[in-house]
Amino acid sequence: MRSSIAFFGELLVRLSPPDKLLLRSARTLDLAVGGAEANVAIGLASLGHTTRMISRLPANPLGDMARSVLMGAGVDCTHVARAEGRMGLYFLTPGAGLRASEVVYDRAGSVFARATEADFDWDAVFAGATHLLMSGITPALGPDSSRLAIAAARAAKDRGLTLIFDGNYRALLWEAWDSDPRGVLSELVGMADMMFGNHRDIALLLATRFTSDGEDRRREAAAALFAAFPNLKHLASTARHVEAADRHLLSARVETPDAVAQTEEVEVSGIIDRIGAGDAFAAGVLHGLLRNPDDIEGAAESGLALTVLKHSLPGDASLFGQGDIDAFLSGQFDVRR
């Protein structure tokens, strides 16, 4: 059976100053369409997978633009509803040298953030789907979105879908309201078959600390996660060491309760745009597992390839195909003619 992956979350417009300017001194802004779940959908569609977006957009030209970007990338937008209201925005000040990037959210009261379970027909949106990917961003938007995320996950599981959960912890969003991130995220992870997250996400979920170092700490955290959430079959993560805004060291890891696949560390220099790199990693890992569910080594390698390649591309989403992954993994860095 061919996989059909559904993605539930908010679509955003990203605005960022050109030429590494600070936001306060910029007089023009570059525009891109993003959103964690949409980024993974685009990444997988670019690799030939069947993907669909489940969301709500404003019935205005900004909503038209966001929808056209996804459709142009090959994502089915049949279940992207339209409503009166505003588009969620975020402003990115790109980092440079030893100056870190900075994000300012302007998404309160968006048409997606105001959505409730009554706005979605779960039978229709999940019909024919085999997987659902959600992230921890949706429940962080507020109490209504938190309830909606749990309802979507339950509806997917009730219909036999494989649930993939990307932690994507966003402290600025959770801290904006009287939230219980541990309680909400634990309920979602408890339903998930696969999770993207690292030892810090697991420490938050389990309200504990892991005292080992390096790979030992990551395995200690993974073992604790699998013990606490027995429904989980896979955990995937990256390790990133930031030396400067445009020079990072990256490795990738995919784990099961009984096995670990760890890649070598790769230096990523001359970084164009790191936003969406985690979403590209998720797309690469899922691509590998959808092709061969037993090959966690191959999934880790394709995840590393896609996340490294994403650093070379402006915007939020990965647009690379299998040929690009193969070229990266074989060390083909010269011009391809």
mmCIF file of all heavy atoms in Angstrom, residues 145 148 198 209 221 254 319:
data_model
loop_
_atom_site.group_PDB
_atom_site.id
_atom_site.type_symbol
_atom_site.label_atom_id
_atom_site.label_comp_id
_atom_site.label_asym_id
_atom_site.label_seq_id
_atom_site.Cartn_x
_atom_site.Cartn_y
_atom_site.Cartn_z
ATOM 1 N N SER A 145 -6.090 25.657 20.789
ATOM 2 C CA SER A 145 -5.216 24.897 19.900
ATOM 3 C C SER A 145 -4.674 23.648 20.585
ATOM 4 O O SER A 145 -4.456 22.613 19.943
ATOM 5 C CB SER A 145 -4.051 25.778 19.436
ATOM 6 O OG SER A 145 -4.509 26.861 18.668
ATOM 7 N N LEU A 148 -7.370 21.183 20.378
ATOM 8 C CA LEU A 148 -7.519 20.772 18.983
ATOM 9 C C LEU A 148 -6.439 19.772 18.590
ATOM 10 O O LEU A 148 -6.714 18.784 17.901
ATOM 11 C CB LEU A 148 -7.452 22.002 18.075
ATOM 12 C CG LEU A 148 -7.497 21.753 16.569
ATOM 13 C CD1 LEU A 148 -8.792 21.041 16.171
ATOM 14 C CD2 LEU A 148 -7.366 23.074 15.807
ATOM 15 N N ASN A 198 15.140 15.496 21.096
ATOM 16 C CA ASN A 198 16.427 15.157 21.686
ATOM 17 C C ASN A 198 16.308 14.993 23.199
ATOM 18 O O ASN A 198 15.199 14.989 23.756
ATOM 19 C CB ASN A 198 17.479 16.211 21.325
ATOM 20 C CG ASN A 198 17.084 17.606 21.799
ATOM 21 O OD1 ASN A 198 16.340 17.765 22.768
ATOM 22 N ND2 ASN A 198 17.591 18.618 21.123
ATOM 23 N N ARG A 209 16.535 14.798 34.730
ATOM 24 C CA ARG A 209 17.801 15.182 34.113
ATOM 25 C C ARG A 209 18.580 13.931 33.755
ATOM 26 O O ARG A 209 18.460 12.900 34.426
ATOM 27 C CB ARG A 209 18.627 16.046 35.061
ATOM 28 C CG ARG A 209 18.025 17.407 35.382
ATOM 29 C CD ARG A 209 18.924 18.171 36.328
ATOM 30 N NE ARG A 209 20.240 18.401 35.742
ATOM 31 C CZ ARG A 209 21.298 18.847 36.428
ATOM 32 N NH1 ARG A 209 21.204 19.068 37.728
ATOM 33 N NH2 ARG A 209 22.455 19.040 35.814
ATOM 34 N N ALA A 221 18.582 8.916 27.604
ATOM 35 C CA ALA A 221 17.306 9.609 27.434
ATOM 36 C C ALA A 221 16.346 8.792 26.581
ATOM 37 O O ALA A 221 15.151 8.679 26.889
ATOM 38 C CB ALA A 221 17.549 10.978 26.810
ATOM 39 N N VAL A 254 18.991 7.895 14.621
ATOM 40 C CA VAL A 254 17.678 7.252 14.647
ATOM 41 C C VAL A 254 17.778 6.061 15.583
ATOM 42 O O VAL A 254 18.722 5.270 15.489
ATOM 43 C CB VAL A 254 17.224 6.804 13.241
ATOM 44 C CG1 VAL A 254 15.885 6.065 13.326
ATOM 45 C CG2 VAL A 254 17.102 8.003 12.302
ATOM 46 N N LEU A 319 13.637 21.552 -0.879
ATOM 47 C CA LEU A 319 13.097 21.280 -2.218
ATOM 48 C C LEU A 319 13.947 20.250 -2.957
ATOM 49 O O LEU A 319 13.894 20.172 -4.185
ATOM 50 C CB LEU A 319 13.028 22.583 -3.027
ATOM 51 C CG LEU A 319 12.182 23.699 -2.420
ATOM 52 C CD1 LEU A 319 12.332 24.983 -3.231
ATOM 53 C CD2 LEU A 319 10.711 23.290 -2.342
#
